[in-house]
Structures are given as structure tokens and as C-alpha cells.
Amino acid sequence: MFYKTYYASPVGLLTLASDGINLIGLWTDEHKYFAEGLTQNLVLNETLPLFKEVSCWLDDYFNGKNPDITGLKLLPKGTDFKNTVWDVLKTIPYGQTITYSDLAKAVSDKLGGQKTSVQAVGGAVGHNQISIIIPCHRVLKSDGSISGYSGGVDRKKKLLEKQKEGKKKMRKLGTVEIPSEAFTSILK
């Protein structure tokens, strides 16, 4: 059985889905691939402990903090290739972005040098089942412009703005990490 609950966020209503133990989905209300691949109906359950944990994570995230995802039980359902792309997405630091091209290179490295197309990587990014937590919104076109977000480009812009605000707060507190060469800071 799969469960769901809702989270009211600054970017709209979010639906969280779980298999009872793991988070298997997090979608915006108009997500292009909402509940893709789920074979069962989602039963409303507002008391599942995982949902409380994820809601606290989202509270921190939307309050400009940089919550750690390593403690969250995430289990997106996808092919080996998609899961590899989603694993690389998890390494994009808060407040930073990466291009689809650089992401494809990172995926290729993770696959032992296996050539990967930017389009295939972009497709996997678009089908990310746990948006926001697995930060597909941090991927930009090679010219730095915003495009292609399954939850809507306007939401992608809002998410990046939220992180920019959070990064500024962190900078004031002296808690900003040093960016990796592959990533671009969204701070101007």
C-alpha cells in the first residue's frame, strides 16, 4: 500500500508519497509526471512518521536553512540510469547550480566513463520523482538560463530564489560551504 499526505509550501501544494517506510514521491500539484510508475492508489495518511520528518525537512528548507538529506529514507523508483542521475543530483550543493552538460559529465564519471547524452540525462532529471529534496531544480541550460522543470518553470525560479535568500542568510552567519568547480553559485 502507498500513502500520501500534503504539504503547503511557498511554491504551492506538494504531495508526499510513501511505501510506509521510504519517501517514494514528492510532487507539485501540477507536476508533469505526478505519481508516475505507481501502480496503487495513494491512501491519505497524515500521521506517518516519515511524513512528519519530511515536513520538518521542508520547513527548514523553505525557511532558508540547508537541511541534510542523508537521514531521509528516499526510494525513488526508476531505472539504474535514472537512479544514477538522481544520485548525482543529490550532490549539487544548496544554493548552487549545474548545467545539464556538466551533469552529464558527472553521470558519465559515475558510470565509469560510459558516454551519456545530455538529452538522456535531461530526461532523467525531468522524471525525478522526489523533487526539491533531490534537487532537479538546480540544473540549468549551458547559458545559465532556466528551463525544463516538470513542476513548472515559475516554480523552478521560486525554488532558486528561496535558496538564494537562504544562502545569503547562511553567509551572514558564516556557514557557507566552499563551492565545487563544477557548480555555479546562484548568489550574484
Side-chain angles (χ1 to χ4, degrees):
M1 183 173 291
F2 294 135
Y3 304 98
K4 70 178 175 181
T5 194
Y6 301 101
Y7 179 89
S9 82
V11 295
L13 188 65
L14 303 177
T15 300
L16 286 65
S18 173
D19 61 8
I21 298 170
N22 305 290
L23 188 69
I24 60 170
L26 191 162
W27 305 279
T28 61
D29 55 347
E30 296 176 4
H31 199 277
K32 186 175 180 179
Y33 302 108
F34 186 91
E36 179 182 58
L38 294 184
T39 56
Q40 302 174 25
N41 288 334
L42 297 171
V43 177
L44 185 64
N45 182 335
E46 296 177 343
T47 62
L48 196 65
L50 175 72
F51 288 154
K52 291 180 189 249
E53 185 180 338
V54 172
S55 293
C56 287
W57 188 97
L58 290 166
D59 287 344
D60 285 348
Y61 176 84
F62 285 114
N63 283 312
K65 297 178 183 172
N66 179 14
D68 186 10
I69 68 168
T70 57
L72 295 177
K73 294 177 183 159
L74 307 177
L75 189 63
K77 300 192 184 305
T79 63
D80 289 345
F81 179 76
K82 285 180 181 177
N83 280 302
T84 299
V85 172
W86 300 335
D87 284 345
V88 174
L89 286 174
K90 291 181 216 175
T91 69
I92 304 170
Y94 180 88
Q96 296 177 26
T97 59
I98 189 171
T99 65
Y100 286 97
S101 177
D102 285 338
L103 179 61
K105 290 174 191 166
V107 169
S108 177
D109 289 347
K110 188 162 177 100
L111 294 172
Q114 179 182 335
K115 191 163 178 94
T116 58
S117 78
V118 175
Q119 290 80 11
V121 168
V125 170
H127 287 266
N128 174 21
Q129 297 175 348
I130 304 177
S131 60
I132 302 172
I133 294 174
I134 299 178
C136 52
H137 60 282
R138 296 179 187 159
V139 184
L140 305 176
K141 289 173 60 172
S142 59
D143 65 1
S145 63
I146 296 173
S147 70
Y149 185 61
S150 297
V153 173
D154 287 341
R155 281 193 180 93
K156 185 172 186 172
K157 288 177 185 176
K158 286 180 184 177
L159 289 167
L160 292 172
E161 277 300 313
K162 267 298 201 193
Q163 287 183 185
K164 185 176 180 179
E165 291 168 16
K167 194 79 169 190
K168 285 181 182 177
K169 285 181 191 176
M170 291 168 59
R171 184 176 272 174
K172 284 182 183 177
L173 296 172
T175 59
V176 176
E177 64 279 344
I178 298 172
S180 167
E181 293 175 11
F183 305 107
T184 306
S185 176
I186 60 173
L187 278 178
K188 302 279 185 207

